[in-house]
């Protein structure tokens, strides 16, 4: 498994406010993905002039904002199996979010820290 990207992600019911905050800090939206969970969620990939990155994702199902680490990988299944073997749990029971350009899910470490793994699909 090769890690192809690594950055923080904020999951929130109010992504517009988080995006605005990071825009005021000098970040720019580089990519907006809207085909997540049948259009129910949106993900914004942002980057500043120094190359720092952050993702901001909308979710109506979380009780409060949360932060995690996004790890982009070249082999989703290998990354998933690796983390599960290291004690991570999948509260969604292996439900993977598939979009036109990625597959992803969030796993939780034994201490409860969330890690979002994602594989970009290229044709």
């Amino acid at each position: 498994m090769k890690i192809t990207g690594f950055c923080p992600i904020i999951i929130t019911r109010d992504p517009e406010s988080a995006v605005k905050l990071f825009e005021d800090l000098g970040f720019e939206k580089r990519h907006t993905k809207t085909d997540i969970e049948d259009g129910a969620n949106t993900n914004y990939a942002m980057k500043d002039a120094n190359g720092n990155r952050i993702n901001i994702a909308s979710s109506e199902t979380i009780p409060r904002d949360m932060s995690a680490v996004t790890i982009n990988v070249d082999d989703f299944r290998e990354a998933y199996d690796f983390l599960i073997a290291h004690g991570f749990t999948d509260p969604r029971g292996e439900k993977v979010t598939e979009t036109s350009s990625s597959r992803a899910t969030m796993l939780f470490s034994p201490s409860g820290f969330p890690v979002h793994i994602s594989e970009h699909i290229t044709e």
Side-chain angles (χ1 to χ4, degrees), residues 70-102:
T70 294
I71 302 174
N72 296 326
V73 296
D74 68 341
D75 186 326
F76 178 85
R77 179 48 56 184
E78 184 180 8
Y80 183 95
D81 292 344
F82 176 86
L83 292 172
I84 293 295
H86 282 81
F88 282 69
T89 58
D90 182 351
R92 296 181 352 146
E94 292 199 38
K95 181 180 178 208
V96 175
T97 300
E98 302 258 357
T99 72
S100 60
S101 62
S102 68

Side-chain angles (χ1 to χ4, degrees), residues 40-58:
N41 296 320
T42 302
N43 187 318
Y44 304 92
M46 302 183 77
K47 184 177 176 183
D48 74 1
N50 296 315
N52 297 307
R53 296 178 179 271
I54 188 162
N55 290 335
I56 298 170
S58 68

